Amino acid sequence: MNLFPGPILAIETSCDETSVAILRGKEVLANEVSSQIELHRQWGGVVPEAAARAHVEAMLPMISGALSRASLRHSDIELVAVTHRPGLLPALMVGVTTAKAIAFGQGVPVVGVHHMEGHLLSPLMEHDVPFPHVCLIVSGGHTELIRVDAVGAYEILGETRDDAAGEAFDKASRLLGLGYPGGPAIQRAAESGTPRYELPKGLKGQTFDFSFSGFKTAVLRLTEKEGDELNVRDAAASVQETITSVLAERALNAARESGARALTLAGGVAANRALREKLATGASRRSLPFFVPSFELCTDNAAMIGFVASLRRRLGLPMEEGLDLDVYSGGDLPGIVR
Ligand code: KG4
Ligand code: ZN
């Protein structure tokens, strides 16, 4: 794989995880992650200004920590990579401002990376994934099926028309009183439950799109109808079974119909064990190679951001760069067609 050879410092602050990584070629020398889950639990979700303040507090010690783990100094860094979209603006601003200051101080380039491209290419960090392949990206804000023809050449095959899969997990968890963040809480409760409640799977027929808004309403109705009789573990198992089966079914069909040579899974929801198992079993039945990153590369991390910068830089693909680098709450992946 063609990668930028020198040490890269990467920073990720798009949501509620502060992360700093150092990469050299294929090697991840450090990938520090500091989660703000405990901070945001009191509000039941991420508060952008509180997230930004926590990123500021965590940032400098984490950079020092990452450099010392990698046995490098600031002056060894040859490229600074930072998530500059999409995400919470006050949170993104902390990472981008820090990245620019370091790049300015060291006289090296600073490049902006699209957070979702980090997730999309994360399976390539540990595996030789053939092109073209289909990636199911599932996170708190995104649910997409993307055909990856090459680094920087992407086609959306399907996407959610309303809520993201992670959002569906989070909202269902809140309705069931299981707390925040919802995905891991639902997974834990589902382990000792039976998926006996019927929940809607969203869009019917031949489509690679998803819809989870009716699902959320159905969970609300279920809690109202059952009241104190509701078995929360069975409800959690039903939520997990419904979401993961619709994701797996569409992803496997999309891979088959688009002539993909492999299937990958990425994003925070990729940490879900039931989803990983369903895709692994389905892919093996179809003799389709299936790749998923290790857990620490599924949830938000800076290593995947540095990896994208490394690939794009080496391949000469365009990236926003320089000291006027800006932050954006949204925006399409670079090189994507619909
Ligand atoms: O990629 P990510 O860390 O942040 C975003 O870019 O959004 O994804 C966070 C999402 C949350 O909705 C969280 O509930 C979900 O990933 N998640 C899970 C699991 N771990 C995290 N969902 C289901 N099962 C899990 N084990
Ligand atoms: Zn993410």
Side-chain angles (χ1 to χ4, degrees):
M1 184 157 291
N2 239 343
L3 292 162
F4 183 83
I8 297 179
L9 172 73
I11 298 175
E12 153 69 45
T13 61
S14 63
C15 191
D16 59 350
E17 255 110 28
T18 318
S19 182
V20 176
I22 296 174
L23 291 84
R24 186 168 47 206
K26 255 191 96 86
E27 266 180 296
V28 177
L29 302 176
N31 187 23
E32 317 277 312
V33 181
S34 161
S35 170
Q36 303 174 4
I37 283 176
E38 290 312 318
L39 169 70
H40 298 291
R41 188 164 276 146
Q42 58 187 306
W43 301 296
V46 182
V47 175
E49 282 70 24
R53 184 183 288 257
H55 285 312
V56 170
E57 282 168 9
M59 185 58 70
L60 295 183
M62 286 183 75
I63 293 176
S64 305
L67 283 168
S68 99
R69 187 182 293 267
S71 305
L72 294 176
R73 288 176 304 189
H74 281 88
S75 56
D76 295 318
I77 298 302
E78 292 180 18
L79 178 67
V80 182
V82 61
T83 303
H84 74 133
R85 74 190 324 164
L88 307 170
L89 290 176
L92 287 168
M93 202 100 75
V94 177
V96 168
T97 307
T98 310
K100 284 191 211 174
I102 292 176
F104 179 70
Q106 300 302 323
V108 297
V110 54
V111 295
V113 172
H114 193 293
H115 180 81
M116 298 315 292
E117 194 173 20
H119 281 306
L120 181 73
L121 300 183
S122 60
L124 279 62
M125 294 178 73
E126 299 164 309
H127 309 283
D128 265 326
V129 184
F131 297 101
H133 58 261
V134 164
C135 180
L136 170 64
I137 301 199
V138 270
S139 73
H142 289 257
T143 300
E144 278 149 22
L145 277 165
I146 296 178
R147 199 179 74 181
V148 182
D149 290 324
V151 174
Y154 313 124
E155 184 181 346
I156 294 208
L157 304 175
E159 61 195 324
T160 183
R161 298 194 187 163
D162 38 63
D163 292 350
E167 223 173 330
F169 269 108
D170 293 337
K171 287 179 177 168
S173 177
R174 202 171 306 150
L175 289 168
L176 297 177
L178 291 170
Y180 156 90
I186 296 266
Q187 173 168 302
R188 222 170 302 120
E191 273 161 20
S192 50
T194 309
R196 66 186 168 94
Y197 297 113
E198 195 71 37
L199 292 167
K201 288 193 171 175
L203 305 174
K204 296 201 169 59
Q206 272 301 80
T207 175
F208 296 137
D209 282 349
F210 304 92
S211 168
F212 291 108
S213 61
F215 172 82
K216 183 183 60 192
T217 315
V219 176
L220 174 64
R221 291 279 135 71
L222 178 69
T223 58
E224 287 168 351
K225 182 167 147 260
E226 298 285 322
D228 291 344
E229 300 293 300
L230 184 75
N231 182 315
V232 174
R233 282 168 300 183
D234 289 352
S238 309
V239 164
Q240 176 170 275
E241 173 60 26
T242 309
I243 298 177
T244 57
S245 62
V246 67
L247 290 173
E249 193 182 302
R250 299 259 149 88
L252 289 161
N253 287 344
R256 189 185 53 215
E257 289 184 27
S258 67
R261 294 175 60 207
L263 177 65
T264 64
L265 172 65
V269 182
N272 186 272
R273 218 168 298 122
L275 180 60
R276 294 162 86 101
E277 280 165 17
K278 279 198 174 69
L279 286 170
T281 313
S284 127
R285 211 174 287 141
R286 291 165 172 80
S287 306
L288 183 71
F290 170 64
F291 304 96
V292 59
S294 47
F295 285 101
E296 60 274 19
L297 293 176
C298 284
T299 42
D300 288 348
N301 67 89
M304 67 182 188
I305 302 305
F307 182 67
V308 170
S310 183
L311 281 170
R312 291 191 84 93
R313 193 81 179 172
R314 190 66 175 174
L315 294 167
L317 294 171
M319 278 187 286
E320 283 184 43
E321 69 171 277
L323 296 179
D324 55 357
L325 188 66
D326 213 342
V327 295
Y328 307 90
S329 57
D332 274 346
L333 273 169
I336 197 145
V337 292
R338 283 165 191 277

